[in-house]
Amino acid sequence: MNGAEALLRTVRAAGVDLCLANPGTTELPLVAALDAVPGVRAVLGLFEGVCTGAADGYGRMTGRPALTLLHLGPGLANGLANLHNARRAQTPVLNLVGDHATWHVASDPPLASDVESLARPMSGFVRTSASAKSLASDAADALAAAVGPPGAVATLVVPVDAQAAAADGPAPAPRPRAARMPDDAAVAAARAALESGAPVLLLLGGSALAERGLRAASALAARTGARLATDSFYARLERGQGVPAVERLPYFPEQAVSWLSGFAHLVLAGTRAPVAFFGTEGVPSQLAPPSCEVHALAGPGEDAAGALDALARQLAAPSVAVPPRERPAPPRGEGALDPASLGQALTALQPEGAIVVDEAATSGLPYALAAPAAPPHSVLALTGGSIGQGLPCAVGAALACPERRVVAFQADGSGLYTLQALWTLAREGLDATVVVCANRAYRILRVELGRAGIAEPGPAALALTDLGGPALDWTALSRGFGVPASRAETPAALSDALARSFATPGPSLIEAILP
Amino acid sequence: MNGAEALLRTVRAAGVDLCLANPGTTELPLVAALDAVPGVRAVLGLFEGVCTGAADGYGRMTGRPALTLLHLGPGLANGLANLHNARRAQTPVLNLVGDHATWHVASDPPLASDVESLARPMSGFVRTSASAKSLASDAADALAAAVGPPGAVATLVVPVDAQAAAADGPAPAPRPRAARMPDDAAVAAARAALESGAPVLLLLGGSALAERGLRAASALAARTGARLATDSFYARLERGQGVPAVERLPYFPEQAVSWLSGFAHLVLAGTRAPVAFFGTEGVPSQLAPPSCEVHALAGPGEDAAGALDALARQLAAPSVAVPPRERPAPPRGEGALDPASLGQALTALQPEGAIVVDEAATSGLPYALAAPAAPPHSVLALTGGSIGQGLPCAVGAALACPERRVVAFQADGSGLYTLQALWTLAREGLDATVVVCANRAYRILRVELGRAGIAEPGPAALALTDLGGPALDWTALSRGFGVPASRAETPAALSDALARSFATPGPSLIEAILP
């Protein structure tokens, strides 16, 4: 058994069953091992950001790490942007990055680079295996770091000679660890805040946004008058009919500061005190007012849902029935589409149990407001702000949950960074509906130019924020990658296209033309 | 004048006239400065690897650095693969990477990461500007590092508050430095080797592959019997009728070792002693035999062409006329295309002064052998082995030389990493002919599997090296980005399509279907 096979058997025994790969010459022993070791599905991405973003989506839906298999420093580099999002989502991911044979590195061959320096900013664990003998135990260590809790991106650099040489067999799989319950003092402080009578915000993240956490939080809210919110971006949220709704912190910092200004206490469950996405002159980085007392009920690696549950029991907060919400009808208008009709159509038509990967950016707000009236579904958001996450994440979510429909709700500018994901949707026959919000601009930058006081951008600023000239044809791009596609210019056409896509197995893309 | 404008005026005064940008919120003051400072053309890439690869192509053709403008750590990360190629080509490039406001970093906002750690492996210069006051002089230092000689990738991290705050005005532009002539001892040693009567290989890179270097080298070869070769991959080579031809080192190391085995002396002009691209068990990293004496006539930052010229004068080696070579006719066959007919068609039809960006990989060899019979042209190759360089590099070459036709001779697997470059070709109306060699596989990996002893790859190995299922439709992808496209399945159809493309201003793409 060579090092590659020993590595793969080690992680397989620990439950790893997916490898998102874009390999090259230095990863061929691992490629061969994927045939020798049963149970690890190999899925090809045409670009590394597809692999890493898919690993993020897979990890968010299963709680388990997928492998990525990447080709030296440049291959890893291509995957870093989506690893950045995975790191911020605390998603478990195990990157395997091939490298030159150990004896060849000193000659500085053309593809050599400092892989660890590249990996470190986006990884909680980085190691280079020294030899075939250590590959399996290195992989076990990396896996332990990846699963946490909290989940983390772990990067193991695997020289090709270590993959190919004889090994001693697999290493013991790491023992899974459960998330810790927070200590009594943290629970007591949160309880005191909730019972203080002063205005309290319960800010939820991580497992607090799963159904159990949301039910406990809403019971606490009903019992104490606390308000519930999420960060602007979260790793995964359960939403829809029967699921308690939470508000979302505004994205722009001055709005968030205003929104948070009345709270005397901030209780954190599965997240941290909110920070401005970008710094804005005259607006503080920390968005909660200085007078607000911050209580960390459950921090990273702690069981946020369990802590909320325990607190609800302590306070004898009975669970609260969620009243039915009126679901809108599919829009039938023949005028122009806009974000509101887009949100209405999705809410009206999305099937039960959908997984919505939301990278719709400026086109997404009306849908987010309407979607609690849709059937229960999961939402995955852009935790790290590194755009180009949506389509790859949709690939991973669909691989994780083949029985659920994935909806990639996708801004056009962001989608172009990693559009190669469409091909993997087609190759694997994944049940995904891609809705491209085609406003043909980096709209957020137009907004930000205005906020920066540039009321009348010059030709360079306009050119650098405009995606028309030539207009992109997403239906052609989609068909080029093997995904059937259509264009919708009216609410009625969009409703028809969505209904058709949801009723048809496999992927399809709808280009929704927005003003 | 704010920091952004002071920076831009500094580099403009030093001759910088192009900014390849994919900006975000933290780069908006620089975006606005592009409107305030005349003379720096702003070109949008839809993905950062397009910007960096274009900067590489532009730098190879002009010898001058373009700016890139990238969005924090993840934006830089997306551009690193092509910066890796630029670094190996010693191309001057000046990256400007926006970052959070200095006062905001301590809060660790979602998009924060260690930008310098990401930049360092691919950069010869890395600095983070501390304030608006230092931005202009930091840019001058970065520019000096970029232009060398030798050329280098310089990365300047520019916090948004440093861009926006008041500055003292531009800094003095760095003084251009000429490449040094090598010292007399190096010239004397090379001369002694050339006059030794033993077999000598003159290995050429850098400016030795420009016309002046090639003429001097061929005079030396005629006078002394030395053979002339290039590395397998070079930054830029002049080739075609009237230009002295050079051989190319084989790519596979065992072939290169055999090819080099007879030489007693290796004289290096503008390159280093050849190293195996990948390590192969049983084949040395250093490809020249241990008995071969290596003489560095001109190393990095030295004037290789000038040194060859001086040596030719010392040896009274008269310049050699290059006999005309028989140019093939365009193939008119109606059978299947193959790399040979592809190479014949290109050689027969490419216009005078073309710039050929060669990322054709396994489909490219017959063309490389035939092309000395084409009209004079420049060739840009994949120096760093990081694939996805071809289309972006073609963008940059076309921006550098609007009067010349660019031919992107492109393998399909490699082209998919950065296909967004097609849109910039369309938007800027660049005279580029993209020829996609559609063999629908990572063919080189199939070859490498065989070399690794995996004669019958299993289903995973086959799936990870196959690009069929579904077959990519490059004509649809191209039209989706606004570039007219056609498909050629026969030599006759390819000849017609090439002739049409070369006669039509602006870009077009030809998908050449290969077995």
Side-chain angles (χ1 to χ4, degrees):
Chain A
M1 178 180 309
N2 66 16
E5 195 178 325
L7 182 159
L8 216 53
R9 288 193 185 278
T10 301
V11 300
R12 178 69 199 100
V16 171
D17 60 6
L18 178 64
C19 178
L20 297 146
N22 186 272
T25 301
T26 46
E27 294 75 42
L28 289 183
L30 271 164
V31 168
L34 285 165
D35 278 311
V37 177
V40 181
R41 178 178 180 181
V43 172
L44 176 62
L46 299 180
F47 174 74
E48 294 86 347
V50 175
C51 301
T52 55
D56 185 15
Y58 178 91
R60 293 193 200 188
M61 293 311 301
T62 63
R64 290 183 290 116
L67 303 179
T68 71
L69 182 56
L70 308 173
H71 187 46
L72 302 104
L76 171 62
N78 280 336
L80 287 172
N82 273 332
L83 292 175
H84 176 85
N85 291 319
R87 173 171 83 96
R88 292 294 183 182
Q90 300 184 344
T91 309
V93 175
L94 176 43
N95 299 307
L96 302 176
V97 183
D99 203 357
H100 286 295
T102 50
W103 53 265
H104 191 47
V105 171
S107 293
D108 189 30
L111 258 170
S113 63
D114 181 347
V115 185
E116 292 200 1
S117 182
L118 297 170
R120 220 167 281 124
M122 278 63 170
S123 307
F125 172 103
V126 179
R127 187 182 296 171
T128 302
S129 277
S131 73
K133 303 279 185 198
S134 65
L135 215 47
S137 62
D138 288 337
D141 292 348
L143 192 63
V147 297
V153 173
T155 300
L156 184 63
V157 184
V158 288
V160 63
D161 54 337
Q163 297 171 48
D168 297 331
R175 297 256 298 265
R177 288 179 299 167
R180 291 187 314 278
M181 281 294 283
D183 60 32
D184 293 346
V187 178
R191 178 177 175 168
L194 285 165
E195 293 189 313
S196 67
V200 179
L201 177 65
L202 198 44
L203 191 66
L204 309 176
S207 66
L209 297 177
E211 210 169 316
R212 178 186 174 208
L214 290 172
R215 292 207 183 285
S218 86
L220 287 167
R223 169 81 177 67
T224 67
R227 266 169 89 177
L228 303 181
T230 71
D231 293 305
S232 306
F233 301 98
Y234 39 76
R236 176 177 171 184
L237 168 72
E238 297 305 307
R239 191 168 66 184
Q241 295 283 358
V243 183
V246 289
E247 299 177 84
R248 193 165 67 157
L249 278 191
Y251 171 77
F252 290 116
E254 61 278 16
Q255 294 172 4
V257 164
S258 156
W259 197 93
L260 288 162
S261 62
F263 291 104
H265 297 278
L266 178 58
V267 175
L268 305 170
T271 186
R272 59 176 184 159
V275 166
F277 201 86
F278 290 114
T280 298
E281 210 61 52
V283 182
S285 295
Q286 296 288 338
L287 300 171
S291 60
C292 181
E293 280 184 50
V294 179
H295 313 277
L297 169 62
E302 291 184 324
D303 181 353
L308 290 167
D309 236 4
L311 202 48
R313 278 196 306 272
Q314 278 191 20
L315 291 176
S319 85
V320 181
V322 181
R325 303 172 187 122
E326 193 180 351
R327 190 179 190 188
R332 304 293 329 160
E334 297 289 355
L337 271 172
D338 60 20
S341 49
L342 194 51
Q344 183 185 339
L346 265 177
T347 302
L349 292 161
Q350 70 183 71
E352 171 127 13
I355 302 168
V356 177
V357 180
D358 180 356
E359 197 180 33
T362 54
S363 304
L365 188 60
Y367 170 66
L369 295 174
H377 58 284
S378 307
V379 195
L380 311 183
L382 184 60
T383 46
S386 176
I387 57 179
Q389 179 245 17
L391 299 176
C393 194
V395 167
L399 289 166
C401 304
E403 73 293 355
R404 300 174 66 174
R405 168 66 51 168
V406 171
V407 179
F409 187 35
Q410 182 61 56
D412 55 352
S414 307
L416 291 165
Y417 288 73
T418 49
L419 76 163
Q420 302 93 335
L422 294 169
W423 184 80
T424 304
L425 290 178
R427 167 172 270 200
E428 303 294 331
L430 302 175
D431 290 342
T433 300
V434 179
V435 180
V436 174
C437 307
N439 64 21
R440 296 166 177 172
Y442 292 128
R443 186 61 52 84
I444 186 67
L445 291 187
R446 293 282 173 85
V447 176
E448 294 280 7
L449 279 168
R451 279 165 43 83
I454 303 164
E456 292 192 21
L462 285 175
L464 294 180
T465 54
D466 167 51
L467 301 178
L472 295 142
D473 180 345
W474 272 93
T475 66
L477 295 172
S478 187
R479 283 192 286 266
F481 282 117
V483 173
S486 62
R487 181 171 294 149
E489 309 206 25
T490 67
L494 177 67
S495 293
D496 290 345
L498 282 173
R500 227 174 12 248
S501 174
F502 293 146
T504 310
S508 53
L509 179 143
I510 303 163
E511 183 179 25
I513 306 296
L514 294 177
Chain B
M1 179 181 309
N2 66 16
E5 194 178 325
L7 182 159
L8 217 53
R9 288 193 186 279
T10 302
V11 300
R12 178 68 199 101
V16 170
D17 60 6
L18 177 64
C19 177
L20 298 146
N22 186 271
T25 301
T26 46
E27 293 75 43
L28 289 184
L30 272 163
V31 168
L34 286 164
D35 278 312
V37 178
V40 182
R41 178 178 181 183
V43 172
L44 177 62
L46 298 180
F47 174 73
E48 295 86 347
V50 175
C51 301
T52 54
D56 186 14
Y58 177 90
R60 293 193 200 188
M61 292 312 301
T62 63
R64 290 183 290 115
L67 303 179
T68 71
L69 182 57
L70 308 173
H71 187 45
L72 303 103
L76 171 63
N78 280 336
L80 287 173
N82 273 333
L83 291 176
H84 176 85
N85 292 318
R87 174 171 82 96
R88 292 296 183 183
Q90 300 184 345
T91 308
V93 175
L94 176 44
N95 298 307
L96 302 177
V97 183
D99 203 357
H100 285 295
T102 50
W103 52 266
H104 191 46
V105 171
S107 293
D108 190 29
L111 259 169
S113 63
D114 182 348
V115 184
E116 292 200 0
S117 182
L118 297 170
R120 219 166 282 122
M122 279 62 170
S123 307
F125 172 102
V126 179
R127 187 182 296 172
T128 301
S129 277
S131 73
K133 304 279 183 198
S134 65
L135 215 46
S137 61
D138 288 337
D141 292 348
L143 193 62
V147 297
V153 174
T155 300
L156 184 63
V157 184
V158 288
V160 65
D161 54 337
Q163 297 172 47
D168 297 330
R175 298 257 297 265
R177 288 180 299 168
R180 291 188 313 279
M181 281 294 283
D183 61 32
D184 293 346
V187 177
R191 177 178 178 167
L194 284 164
E195 293 189 313
S196 67
V200 179
L201 176 65
L202 198 44
L203 191 66
L204 309 176
S207 67
L209 298 177
E211 208 166 319
R212 177 185 176 211
L214 290 172
R215 293 209 182 283
S218 86
L220 287 167
R223 169 82 178 64
T224 67
R227 267 169 90 177
L228 304 181
T230 72
D231 293 305
S232 306
F233 301 97
Y234 38 75
R236 176 177 173 183
L237 168 72
E238 298 304 307
R239 190 168 67 184
Q241 295 283 359
V243 183
V246 289
E247 299 177 84
R248 193 164 69 155
L249 278 191
Y251 170 77
F252 290 115
E254 61 278 16
Q255 295 172 6
V257 164
S258 156
W259 197 93
L260 289 161
S261 62
F263 292 104
H265 296 278
L266 177 59
V267 175
L268 304 170
T271 187
R272 57 177 185 159
V275 166
F277 201 85
F278 291 114
T280 298
E281 209 61 51
V283 182
S285 295
Q286 296 288 337
L287 300 171
S291 59
C292 180
E293 279 184 51
V294 178
H295 314 276
L297 168 62
E302 292 184 325
D303 181 353
L308 290 167
D309 236 5
L311 203 50
R313 279 196 305 271
Q314 278 191 20
L315 291 175
S319 86
V320 182
V322 180
R325 305 171 186 122
E326 193 182 349
R327 190 178 189 187
R332 304 292 331 161
E334 296 290 354
L337 272 172
D338 60 19
S341 48
L342 195 53
Q344 182 185 337
L346 265 178
T347 303
L349 292 161
Q350 70 183 73
E352 171 127 11
I355 302 168
V356 178
V357 180
D358 180 356
E359 197 181 33
T362 53
S363 303
L365 189 60
Y367 169 66
L369 296 174
H377 59 284
S378 306
V379 194
L380 312 184
L382 184 60
T383 45
S386 176
I387 57 177
Q389 181 244 14
L391 299 176
C393 195
V395 167
L399 289 167
C401 305
E403 73 292 355
R404 299 175 67 174
R405 169 66 50 169
V406 171
V407 179
F409 188 35
Q410 183 59 57
D412 55 351
S414 306
L416 290 166
Y417 287 73
T418 49
L419 75 164
Q420 302 93 335
L422 294 170
W423 184 80
T424 304
L425 290 178
R427 167 172 270 202
E428 304 294 329
L430 301 175
D431 290 342
T433 300
V434 179
V435 180
V436 174
C437 308
N439 63 22
R440 296 168 177 171
Y442 292 128
R443 186 61 52 84
I444 185 68
L445 291 187
R446 294 282 174 84
V447 176
E448 293 281 6
L449 279 167
R451 280 167 40 86
I454 303 164
E456 294 193 20
L462 286 175
L464 293 180
T465 54
D466 167 52
L467 301 177
L472 294 143
D473 180 345
W474 273 93
T475 66
L477 295 173
S478 187
R479 283 191 287 263
F481 283 116
V483 173
S486 61
R487 181 171 293 149
E489 309 205 25
T490 67
L494 177 67
S495 293
D496 290 345
L498 282 173
R500 224 172 16 245
S501 174
F502 292 146
T504 310
S508 53
L509 179 143
I510 303 162
E511 183 179 24
I513 306 296
L514 295 176

